[in-house]
Amino acid sequence: MSVILPVAKQGEDILKLKAAPVAESEFNSEWLQQLAAAMQATMSVREGVGIAAPQVYISKRVIIVASRSNVRYPDAPEMDAVVMVNPEILEFSQETCLGEEGCLSVPNERGQVERAQTVKVRYRTLQGDVVEATYEGFPARIVQHEVDHLDGVLFVERLTL
Ligand code: K1U
Ligand code: ZN
């Protein structure tokens, strides 16, 4: 049975904090596995393409990125959900692009945000393995949006007017 968690909304303090790194002792744990499963179920039920742990009231550096084709990004790649623990963006491309964003924590608001076109990210898996990967386009946008959540930043603070 999937656990669906409540989602914090704009104005709540949890969304303004810098989230804490997941500790070595938490890798490979039942707790971290259950957190990721509950985040993924919550993202799916809300029809999101990403989610960050602070959005479900857990101030830890865990995100999920799950690009899929949608009305605004019809060419977006379908990807299996990727759980990223302690993600770090190592490189932002100089090339940027404008694109529409929404947020599960800011209902009924969407807007244009300028983001790097490509990012290189290093993260740990739930088991603690280190992965480095490069994302482009919509998946890169989701990574940047979710890492912002870990640093207490909402997309509405980055809107291009
Ligand atoms: O982190 C979140 O609040 C989830 C958010 C992720 C996101 C969407 C769009 C651009 C960057 C990051 C959402 O999934 S909002 C809902 C959504 O499915 C969506 C919104 C706009 C475009 C495409 C999808
Ligand atoms: Zn969001």
Side-chain angles (χ1 to χ4, degrees), residues 45-101:
V45 86
R46 302 286 182 127
E47 300 187 337
V49 290
I51 194 165
Q55 293 182 279
V56 293
Y57 296 93
I58 303 290
S59 194
K60 294 265 184 180
R61 301 186 79 82
V62 181
I63 66 173
I64 299 179
V65 177
S67 168
R68 58 177 159 73
S69 171
N70 58 81
V71 191
R72 281 150 198 97
Y73 299 92
D75 298 327
E78 299 288 325
M79 54 187 269
D80 289 337
V82 180
V83 180
M84 300 183 183
V85 181
N86 296 345
E88 293 169 75
I89 299 180
L90 302 175
E91 291 171 22
F92 294 85
S93 63
Q94 278 199 344
E95 186 188 353
T96 61
C97 54
L98 269 183
E100 188 172 303
E101 297 194 11

Side-chain angles (χ1 to χ4, degrees), residues 63 142 159:
I63 66 173
I142 300 169
L159 287 176

Side-chain angles (χ1 to χ4, degrees), residues 15 50-52 55 101-106 145-146 149 153-155:
L15 295 175
I51 194 165
Q55 293 182 279
E101 297 194 11
C103 182
L104 302 181
S105 297
V106 189
H145 178 114
E146 302 309 335
H149 275 302
V153 176
L154 291 176
F155 84 100

